[in-house]
Amino acid sequence: MFTGIVTAVGGRGFWFIEQDHTRDAFFVHQNHVIGKKYLHINDRVRFNVAPNPKKPGEMMATDVEIIGFTIARQVSEKAVLS
């Protein structure tokens, strides 16, 4: 499992998580959030990664579990939506 922070809301029912160590950004849909079905910016999460069935060659976050909250963190350009 990996840990990271929710860095962006992409729309209704999906978000982006920036992994702690690599700073890679992963898409996550609410169907892959355990328990609570909504995430918020700066939620600290634990997650697995799996191939994204809708975008071959890309990975997405699955089994996402909220483990805390981070006040603020500088996010990399990879996690910022254009």
Side-chain angles (χ1 to χ4, degrees):
M1 288 198 110
F2 302 98
T3 57
I5 293 178
V6 177
T7 57
V9 177
R12 201 165 132 183
F14 67 93
W15 303 268
F16 290 88
I17 297 170
E18 185 176 278
Q19 185 182 357
D20 285 336
H21 298 292
T22 65
R23 294 255 161 134
D24 289 334
F26 294 97
F27 163 84
V28 61
H29 187 270
Q30 71 184 28
N31 291 341
H32 295 281
V33 178
I34 297 171
K36 187 176 177 183
K37 288 293 182 181
Y38 294 96
L39 299 174
H40 297 92
I41 299 291
N42 293 327
D43 278 348
R44 177 162 268 311
V45 295
R46 179 176 26 237
F47 62 98
N48 287 314
V49 294
N52 186 336
K54 293 189 178 184
K55 293 190 176 181
E58 288 189 19
M59 301 298 279
M60 65 181 282
T62 62
D63 307 318
V64 179
E65 180 181 10
I66 298 170
I67 58 173
F69 183 79
T70 300
I71 299 298
R73 173 172 105 178
Q74 180 71 32
V75 297
S76 69
E77 290 181 26
K78 291 183 196 176
V80 177
L81 296 175
S82 23

